[in-house]
Amino acid sequence: MKYDNFDVNSWGGYAKCYDALNDLKPYQNLQMTVISNLFLSSGNLILDAACGTGNLPCWLKKNKKNFDLTIAGLDFSDEMLELAKEKNQEKYFIFAKHNLNKDIPFADEYFDQIVSVNTLYALSDPARILSEFYRILKRGGRLILVNPKRGYENGLILKEHCSDIGPDEPWLNVHSSKEKEFELLKRAVNDIEVRSKLMAVAKFNCEILKNRKFYFLSLAELSQLVRSQNFFIIRREKVYANQAILIVAQK
Ligand SMILES: C[S@@+](CC[C@H](N)C(=O)[O-])C[C@H]1O[C@@H](n2cnc3c(N)ncnc32)[C@H](O)[C@@H]1O
């Protein structure tokens, strides 16, 4: 039961170590895949639904030097938003506090594109948020959705990070004991400071993984959910060391 209480305060705690993920190659690749699926057309208005610490705009700035668009990031965690604002002070990034379990306070057909990475699972009603995304997206607009797959293994993200081409088995059930977590992190990450931050990340990931109320869906289930809200799926692929599903869909 205690694992069903991963709430706004837990996300606030996670914010303190969350950015250690930026050191992991699979997370970097994930951000780049999301960016490659965005139309960076001049004047576009993009919603980043549950923007966390604002990593998407950071990766965008690093990799696309000239762009003229606005990204609005919503999140319900003050701690996440504080970091997002600190890291992205340019005028074309706007951040605001909002609980995505409630109606999104934007007019119909407001956004050109919507991005939502690794968040759908934590919301109380995935179908409802997708119908909200559909409502606020312009006709022909794109939704880029990423969600961890059912049965995802955090250890396989570490395995890909260190380009281990051996069998998966030693990397499975990374959270089964503190010793195993530490051993695998030591194998994957040399930098002691990064490693200790990733140990803190592991604590939160372990709690997330055990939360029975979270929606980790198969490719077929996530596709069906997206289609049930009238989206047309353009692309589906496994991302994040094959531990998450990316769907690009159109209104
Ligand atoms: C795993 S993080 C992903 C952050 C970011 N999209 C990324 O890829 O780095 C999940 C985010 O969802 C936010 N979140 C969870 N439930 C939420 C809710 N009901 N409303 C708004 N944000 C929520 C958390 O605060 C956290 O920032």
mmCIF file of all heavy atoms in Angstrom, residues 41-62:
data_model
loop_
_atom_site.group_PDB
_atom_site.id
_atom_site.type_symbol
_atom_site.label_atom_id
_atom_site.label_comp_id
_atom_site.label_asym_id
_atom_site.label_seq_id
_atom_site.Cartn_x
_atom_site.Cartn_y
_atom_site.Cartn_z
ATOM 1 N N SER A 41 9.002 24.653 -36.669
ATOM 2 C CA SER A 41 8.642 25.724 -37.597
ATOM 3 C C SER A 41 8.495 27.037 -36.862
ATOM 4 O O SER A 41 8.032 27.066 -35.708
ATOM 5 C CB SER A 41 7.316 25.415 -38.284
ATOM 6 O OG SER A 41 7.288 24.092 -38.705
ATOM 7 N N SER A 42 8.845 28.095 -37.559
ATOM 8 C CA SER A 42 8.796 29.423 -36.983
ATOM 9 C C SER A 42 7.393 29.731 -36.451
ATOM 10 O O SER A 42 6.390 29.445 -37.106
ATOM 11 C CB SER A 42 9.186 30.410 -38.082
ATOM 12 O OG SER A 42 9.146 31.687 -37.561
ATOM 13 N N GLY A 43 7.349 30.260 -35.240
ATOM 14 C CA GLY A 43 6.078 30.689 -34.658
ATOM 15 C C GLY A 43 5.278 29.583 -33.997
ATOM 16 O O GLY A 43 4.232 29.842 -33.402
ATOM 17 N N ASN A 44 5.752 28.354 -34.064
ATOM 18 C CA ASN A 44 5.007 27.235 -33.452
ATOM 19 C C ASN A 44 4.884 27.391 -31.939
ATOM 20 O O ASN A 44 5.796 27.877 -31.278
ATOM 21 C CB ASN A 44 5.727 25.914 -33.741
ATOM 22 C CG ASN A 44 5.023 25.090 -34.802
ATOM 23 O OD1 ASN A 44 4.958 23.886 -34.715
ATOM 24 N ND2 ASN A 44 4.476 25.752 -35.805
ATOM 25 N N LEU A 45 3.749 26.964 -31.429
ATOM 26 C CA LEU A 45 3.507 26.966 -29.985
ATOM 27 C C LEU A 45 3.409 25.506 -29.537
ATOM 28 O O LEU A 45 2.542 24.763 -30.009
ATOM 29 C CB LEU A 45 2.210 27.729 -29.694
ATOM 30 C CG LEU A 45 1.781 27.853 -28.246
ATOM 31 C CD1 LEU A 45 2.867 28.501 -27.401
ATOM 32 C CD2 LEU A 45 0.492 28.670 -28.153
ATOM 33 N N ILE A 46 4.317 25.127 -28.638
ATOM 34 C CA ILE A 46 4.414 23.717 -28.229
ATOM 35 C C ILE A 46 4.139 23.593 -26.734
ATOM 36 O O ILE A 46 4.658 24.375 -25.932
ATOM 37 C CB ILE A 46 5.835 23.170 -28.536
ATOM 38 C CG1 ILE A 46 6.120 23.281 -30.043
ATOM 39 C CG2 ILE A 46 5.979 21.723 -28.069
ATOM 40 C CD1 ILE A 46 7.542 22.942 -30.430
ATOM 41 N N LEU A 47 3.339 22.610 -26.349
ATOM 42 C CA LEU A 47 3.111 22.341 -24.927
ATOM 43 C C LEU A 47 3.974 21.160 -24.504
ATOM 44 O O LEU A 47 3.963 20.114 -25.154
ATOM 45 C CB LEU A 47 1.631 21.988 -24.684
ATOM 46 C CG LEU A 47 1.302 21.530 -23.259
ATOM 47 C CD1 LEU A 47 1.475 22.673 -22.255
ATOM 48 C CD2 LEU A 47 -0.125 20.976 -23.164
ATOM 49 N N ASP A 48 4.736 21.334 -23.419
ATOM 50 C CA ASP A 48 5.472 20.216 -22.817
ATOM 51 C C ASP A 48 4.704 19.842 -21.543
ATOM 52 O O ASP A 48 4.825 20.513 -20.510
ATOM 53 C CB ASP A 48 6.913 20.661 -22.514
ATOM 54 C CG ASP A 48 7.781 19.512 -21.995
ATOM 55 O OD1 ASP A 48 7.277 18.376 -21.903
ATOM 56 O OD2 ASP A 48 8.973 19.768 -21.678
ATOM 57 N N ALA A 49 3.889 18.805 -21.643
ATOM 58 C CA ALA A 49 2.985 18.452 -20.545
ATOM 59 C C ALA A 49 3.706 17.575 -19.528
ATOM 60 O O ALA A 49 4.041 16.432 -19.832
ATOM 61 C CB ALA A 49 1.751 17.753 -21.092
ATOM 62 N N ALA A 50 3.929 18.161 -18.354
ATOM 63 C CA ALA A 50 4.786 17.626 -17.293
ATOM 64 C C ALA A 50 6.240 17.742 -17.739
ATOM 65 O O ALA A 50 6.905 16.763 -18.079
ATOM 66 C CB ALA A 50 4.417 16.222 -16.885
ATOM 67 N N CYS A 51 6.682 18.994 -17.696
ATOM 68 C CA CYS A 51 8.008 19.349 -18.227
ATOM 69 C C CYS A 51 9.141 18.976 -17.282
ATOM 70 O O CYS A 51 10.302 19.053 -17.666
ATOM 71 C CB CYS A 51 8.048 20.840 -18.514
ATOM 72 S SG CYS A 51 7.681 21.835 -17.040
ATOM 73 N N GLY A 52 8.816 18.586 -16.032
ATOM 74 C CA GLY A 52 9.868 18.234 -15.081
ATOM 75 C C GLY A 52 10.823 19.397 -14.873
ATOM 76 O O GLY A 52 10.408 20.554 -14.726
ATOM 77 N N THR A 53 12.119 19.106 -14.921
ATOM 78 C CA THR A 53 13.133 20.140 -14.681
ATOM 79 C C THR A 53 13.498 20.900 -15.966
ATOM 80 O O THR A 53 14.553 21.534 -16.024
ATOM 81 C CB THR A 53 14.410 19.514 -14.085
ATOM 82 O OG1 THR A 53 14.897 18.546 -15.031
ATOM 83 C CG2 THR A 53 14.156 18.829 -12.759
ATOM 84 N N GLY A 54 12.656 20.774 -16.990
ATOM 85 C CA GLY A 54 12.873 21.561 -18.211
ATOM 86 C C GLY A 54 14.017 21.064 -19.073
ATOM 87 O O GLY A 54 14.703 21.851 -19.716
ATOM 88 N N ASN A 55 14.198 19.759 -19.121
ATOM 89 C CA ASN A 55 15.316 19.230 -19.916
ATOM 90 C C ASN A 55 15.082 19.331 -21.423
ATOM 91 O O ASN A 55 16.038 19.518 -22.173
ATOM 92 C CB ASN A 55 15.609 17.774 -19.529
ATOM 93 C CG ASN A 55 16.293 17.711 -18.184
ATOM 94 O OD1 ASN A 55 16.968 18.656 -17.790
ATOM 95 N ND2 ASN A 55 16.114 16.627 -17.456
ATOM 96 N N LEU A 56 13.836 19.195 -21.848
ATOM 97 C CA LEU A 56 13.577 19.248 -23.301
ATOM 98 C C LEU A 56 14.058 20.577 -23.914
ATOM 99 O O LEU A 56 14.822 20.570 -24.888
ATOM 100 C CB LEU A 56 12.093 18.987 -23.597
ATOM 101 C CG LEU A 56 11.738 18.979 -25.075
ATOM 102 C CD1 LEU A 56 12.297 17.737 -25.774
ATOM 103 C CD2 LEU A 56 10.237 19.056 -25.276
ATOM 104 N N PRO A 57 13.667 21.743 -23.328
ATOM 105 C CA PRO A 57 14.199 22.998 -23.887
ATOM 106 C C PRO A 57 15.723 23.061 -23.839
ATOM 107 O O PRO A 57 16.357 23.588 -24.761
ATOM 108 C CB PRO A 57 13.599 24.090 -22.990
ATOM 109 C CG PRO A 57 12.490 23.461 -22.262
ATOM 110 C CD PRO A 57 12.669 21.984 -22.283
ATOM 111 N N CYS A 58 16.328 22.502 -22.803
ATOM 112 C CA CYS A 58 17.803 22.532 -22.701
ATOM 113 C C CYS A 58 18.435 21.763 -23.851
ATOM 114 O O CYS A 58 19.380 22.242 -24.482
ATOM 115 C CB CYS A 58 18.274 21.907 -21.388
ATOM 116 S SG CYS A 58 17.951 22.939 -19.971
ATOM 117 N N TRP A 59 17.906 20.554 -24.138
ATOM 118 C CA TRP A 59 18.465 19.757 -25.236
ATOM 119 C C TRP A 59 18.197 20.431 -26.573
ATOM 120 O O TRP A 59 19.019 20.373 -27.490
ATOM 121 C CB TRP A 59 17.915 18.325 -25.197
ATOM 122 C CG TRP A 59 18.575 17.549 -24.099
ATOM 123 C CD1 TRP A 59 18.076 17.286 -22.865
ATOM 124 C CD2 TRP A 59 19.898 16.999 -24.124
ATOM 125 N NE1 TRP A 59 19.001 16.598 -22.111
ATOM 126 C CE2 TRP A 59 20.123 16.410 -22.862
ATOM 127 C CE3 TRP A 59 20.918 16.951 -25.085
ATOM 128 C CZ2 TRP A 59 21.325 15.769 -22.534
ATOM 129 C CZ3 TRP A 59 22.107 16.316 -24.762
ATOM 130 C CH2 TRP A 59 22.302 15.740 -23.507
ATOM 131 N N LEU A 60 17.079 21.108 -26.667
ATOM 132 C CA LEU A 60 16.730 21.836 -27.892
ATOM 133 C C LEU A 60 17.743 22.969 -28.124
ATOM 134 O O LEU A 60 18.272 23.136 -29.225
ATOM 135 C CB LEU A 60 15.317 22.399 -27.714
ATOM 136 C CG LEU A 60 14.523 22.800 -28.921
ATOM 137 C CD1 LEU A 60 14.424 21.666 -29.923
ATOM 138 C CD2 LEU A 60 13.114 23.220 -28.502
ATOM 139 N N LYS A 61 18.043 23.704 -27.053
ATOM 140 C CA LYS A 61 18.988 24.826 -27.174
ATOM 141 C C LYS A 61 20.367 24.335 -27.577
ATOM 142 O O LYS A 61 21.069 24.955 -28.360
ATOM 143 C CB LYS A 61 19.103 25.567 -25.828
ATOM 144 C CG LYS A 61 17.960 26.505 -25.560
ATOM 145 C CD LYS A 61 18.180 27.293 -24.286
ATOM 146 C CE LYS A 61 17.861 26.492 -23.049
ATOM 147 N NZ LYS A 61 17.900 27.247 -21.807
ATOM 148 N N LYS A 62 20.762 23.180 -26.985
ATOM 149 C CA LYS A 62 22.086 22.629 -27.256
ATOM 150 C C LYS A 62 22.227 22.197 -28.710
ATOM 151 O O LYS A 62 23.304 22.267 -29.287
ATOM 152 C CB LYS A 62 22.288 21.393 -26.366
ATOM 153 C CG LYS A 62 23.421 21.551 -25.379
ATOM 154 C CD LYS A 62 23.648 20.264 -24.644
ATOM 155 C CE LYS A 62 23.666 20.549 -23.158
ATOM 156 N NZ LYS A 62 23.617 19.402 -22.324
#
